[in-house]
Amino acid sequence: MTSARITPLDPDQYLTTPWKNGGGVTVDIAVASDAAGEIWRFGRTPIVAAGAFSDYAGFDRLQVLVAGSGLVLKTPGSEIDIREPFRPVRFAGETPIESRLEAGPVEVVNLIGDRARVRIDLKVLDAGGTRRVEPGTHIVYNPLGKSSLEIDGARHALAVDQALRIEAATSTVLAGKSGCLLVASIIGI
């Protein structure tokens, strides 16, 4: 028996939010905010044209390519290579970024967190893999096909675009059983 509270997230309940800079939209899978503002956000975003990323000063960002190929993020001093699917990358929200699409539109999954309030992480959980997560909030998301996992030994199946929100009071073990899942971790500081 797990000490984690597990809540299915229904794709019909996801919200579409315009980008801060007006250049596109994000499908918000899970968001947390309070009177002081946004704490963290987890969503899936189509990028259909090259352009500037929104300024998220004070936030850390993690991004992983889930559809398409050839995404490169140009910063003032270098490039962030997101050409390879399912390889999360991290960058500061205040970094000026211009995206470049080398092979047409792509889709990414983003995790954005206020670095003064949370630590964030984004990992891939494949079939046969395990991940021990610490107490906090975790979103397990299935970007493609059918996937399943065990959470402290209990099996959960996820269809494409489905997610689970896990509120873990203690260390919790996630085991990939089939497919490919993304695990977003948000830990209060």
Side-chain angles (χ1 to χ4, degrees), residues 121-125 129-133 138 172-175 183 185:
D121 197 14
L122 183 61
K123 299 288 186 193
V124 175
L125 180 63
T130 61
R131 177 159 164 73
R132 180 175 296 278
V133 295
H138 308 278
T172 301
V173 176
L174 310 179
V183 179
S185 296

Side-chain angles (χ1 to χ4, degrees), residues 127-147:
T130 61
R131 177 159 164 73
R132 180 175 296 278
V133 295
E134 62 185 291
T137 300
H138 308 278
I139 309 297
V140 177
Y141 176 66
N142 179 15
L144 352 139
K146 291 183 180 179
S147 295

Side-chain angles (χ1 to χ4, degrees), residues 72-80 91-92 95-99:
V72 177
L73 307 181
K74 184 165 176 28
T75 71
S78 65
E79 290 184 342
I80 301 168
F91 51 95
T95 303
I97 290 177
E98 289 282 333
S99 65

Side-chain angles (χ1 to χ4, degrees), residues 3 27 30 57 61 66 79 85 91 102 110 113 128 147 150 160 179:
S3 62
V27 176
R61 296 181 73 162
V66 297
E79 290 184 342
F91 51 95
E102 296 178 337
N110 295 288
S147 295
E150 288 183 357
V160 67

Side-chain angles (χ1 to χ4, degrees), residues 14-82:
Y14 299 166
L15 300 174
T16 301
T17 305
W19 294 352
K20 287 172 65 174
N21 69 6
V25 295
T26 292
V27 176
D28 288 324
I29 296 165
V31 177
S33 60
D34 61 16
E38 187 170 282
I39 303 168
W40 60 267
R41 169 183 303 258
F42 178 76
R44 185 169 178 152
T45 302
I47 302 174
V48 298
F53 270 37
S54 297
D55 180 4
Y56 269 91
F59 285 71
D60 287 323
R61 296 181 73 162
L62 284 154
Q63 189 169 86
V64 62
L65 183 67
V66 297
S69 63
L71 177 62
V72 177
L73 307 181
K74 184 165 176 28
T75 71
S78 65
E79 290 184 342
I80 301 168
D81 184 349
I82 311 182

